[in-house]
Amino acid sequence: MRENTFGFVGRDMAVDLGTANTLVYVRGRGIVLNEPSVVAININDNRPLAVGIEAKMMIGRTPSNIQAIRPLKDGVIADFEICEMMLRYFIRKVHSRRFAKPRMVICVPSGITGVEKRAVQEAAEYAGARKAYIIEEPMAAAIGAGLPINEPTGNMVVDIGGGTTEVAVISLGGIVVSQSIRVGGDELDEAIIEFAKREFSLALGDRTAEEIKIAIGSACQLEEEIGAEIRGRDLVTGLPKTVFASSKDIRRAIEAPVSLIVEAVKMTLDKTPPELSADLMTRGIYLTGGGALLHGLAQRLMNETGMPIVVATDPLNCVALGSGMCLEEFDLLRDVLSFSSSR
């Protein structure tokens, strides 16, 4: 394997540090890891017991001395120490050599503060990174979706993740207009949990709510409405209970967060310069992130904005692929990283 720009052989990493999932791209190898951003610890001695998929399986099923923690909330670090543990685990899992010191490109929401960006960089460096570069998620998503970001034309991307929704218009390698709201897949799950509690007196767990969202969640009316059985705990009797919910019910449950996402897109379009707006009418708006897979969301945005909507080919991996391309073409995309770090 040839030596890369940084002088290391195939060790440079790009990390999509997401609220729900963390993806790791290794230069020359592609995406090598995709695991939930969850750490299970023993609260008696603060010792990590499981990370990623194993830790997510423990959510809601642990004894009192074990706690499953999600160290990121709304796209930013909520628990610095746990986040560092998680990053160190992922670095070691990807690199078999114990003392690997990769340089890392890390994706962050465009709306976070300088202090929050610095916290991400420090967490990566403490976890073993030789140097950490920052790239904003909408920029990485646009690169991963194959948009010509360096051309003098308007490119609009809507990246809907677990904790945030990033809306940005990009031209000439920079973000012209952006909007970042702390609404994403997690808020949709919470809305479903609250709906089940209010309408059916049923207590649901986070994993169950996520499964319901994926199975029958929708942002606009479907040609054929579907339904599913929902299992949880009856809040009145405390016993297990099963109810039937339709896609219409779940659509009503998630209407508030979906409306916030639509409004963020509208506000960004309203601030976009006229010349770039004309480009967007031709090129369309690209949807990336797990939220792009919500049934009917593309149609809802098309109805509300009158713009063509394109769901990226691989929406779940767009951010990781885009940040990985920054590793592969580091000299070419160095300005993107520098620009993102200086905002």
Side-chain angles (χ1 to χ4, degrees):
M1 186 180 292
R2 64 181 176 84
E3 186 171 89
N4 61 36
T5 306
F6 296 130
F8 287 89
V9 180
R11 291 184 189 163
D12 302 329
M13 301 167 58
V15 181
D16 175 12
L17 193 61
T19 305
N21 293 284
T22 295
L23 285 78
V24 176
Y25 182 110
V26 173
R27 186 172 186 174
R29 293 170 57 193
I31 296 174
V32 297
L33 183 143
N34 181 355
E35 295 203 23
S37 302
V38 184
V39 179
I41 65 166
N42 185 327
I43 61 175
N44 294 331
D45 55 12
N46 212 35
R47 178 170 50 91
L49 301 175
V51 180
I53 295 172
E54 290 182 16
K56 186 175 181 179
M57 295 294 291
M58 297 181 183
I59 293 178
R61 297 173 174 173
T62 59
S64 59
N65 65 312
I66 298 176
Q67 188 175 8
I69 299 172
R70 297 177 66 177
L72 289 105
K73 183 172 176 58
D74 299 332
V76 298
I77 296 175
D79 191 316
F80 185 90
E81 186 179 350
I82 300 298
C83 184
E84 181 193 329
M85 285 182 190
M86 183 178 74
L87 278 174
R88 181 177 289 112
Y89 170 84
F90 289 148
I91 290 174
R92 288 180 178 173
K93 188 168 184 178
V94 169
H95 293 298
S96 56
R97 292 187 62 175
R98 183 177 177 184
F99 299 107
K101 285 277 188 180
R103 294 201 183 185
M104 295 171 63
V105 173
I106 304 180
C107 305
V108 298
S110 60
I112 70 172
T113 65
V115 173
E116 289 168 332
K117 281 186 181 180
R118 184 60 196 155
V120 172
Q121 287 179 307
E122 288 182 355
E125 288 166 3
Y126 287 146
R130 182 166 177 262
K131 186 170 180 60
Y133 295 86
I134 296 294
I135 182 171
E136 291 170 345
E137 285 177 4
M139 180 67 77
I143 296 170
L147 299 179
I149 63 164
N150 289 317
E151 294 182 8
T153 56
N155 302 280
M156 186 168 182
V157 63
V158 181
D159 179 51
I160 307 168
T164 62
T165 293
E166 310 286 323
V167 188
V169 176
I170 299 166
S171 180
L172 288 171
I175 294 177
V176 180
V177 183
S178 68
Q179 179 85 8
S180 178
I181 59 171
R182 298 194 173 184
V183 175
D186 289 351
E187 278 65 30
L188 299 180
D189 297 343
E190 288 171 12
I192 292 171
I193 290 171
E194 288 301 315
F195 177 82
K197 191 181 297 183
R198 184 174 63 251
E199 295 292 321
F200 303 121
S201 296
L202 190 70
L204 299 180
D206 293 340
R207 288 182 59 201
T208 303
E210 183 182 19
E211 289 167 1
I212 294 165
K213 175 187 68 181
I214 293 170
I216 61 173
S218 63
C220 68
Q221 186 172 345
L222 304 176
E223 289 184 7
E224 184 177 344
E225 299 291 351
I226 53 179
E229 288 187 344
I230 301 176
R231 295 179 178 84
R233 176 171 54 83
D234 192 317
L235 290 171
V236 178
T237 65
L239 300 174
K241 178 181 176 182
T242 300
V243 299
F244 182 85
S246 68
S247 52
K248 185 176 180 181
D249 293 327
I250 303 305
R251 185 163 61 250
R252 187 155 49 96
I254 63 175
E255 175 59 28
V258 168
S259 294
L260 290 174
I261 293 171
V262 173
E263 283 304 311
V265 175
K266 287 183 175 179
M267 286 177 64
T268 306
L269 286 171
D270 187 52
K271 297 175 184 176
T272 302
E275 291 81 2
L276 296 181
S277 294
D279 294 334
L280 299 181
M281 282 301 297
T282 304
R283 306 185 68 88
I285 299 172
Y286 278 71
L287 300 185
T288 67
L293 300 175
L294 181 67
H295 301 302
L297 181 61
Q299 186 62 48
R300 170 78 176 267
L301 285 170
M302 190 182 298
N303 295 342
E304 297 264 359
T305 64
M307 305 279 285
I309 306 295
V310 181
V311 178
T313 305
D314 189 3
L316 287 169
N317 295 329
C318 270
V319 173
L321 290 171
S323 55
M325 288 174 68
C326 290
L327 289 178
E328 304 288 358
E329 305 290 342
F330 185 78
D331 293 330
L332 186 64
L333 295 170
R334 186 189 296 269
D335 291 341
V336 172
L337 296 173
S338 301
F339 174 81
S340 297
S341 298
S342 63
R343 276 176 69 86

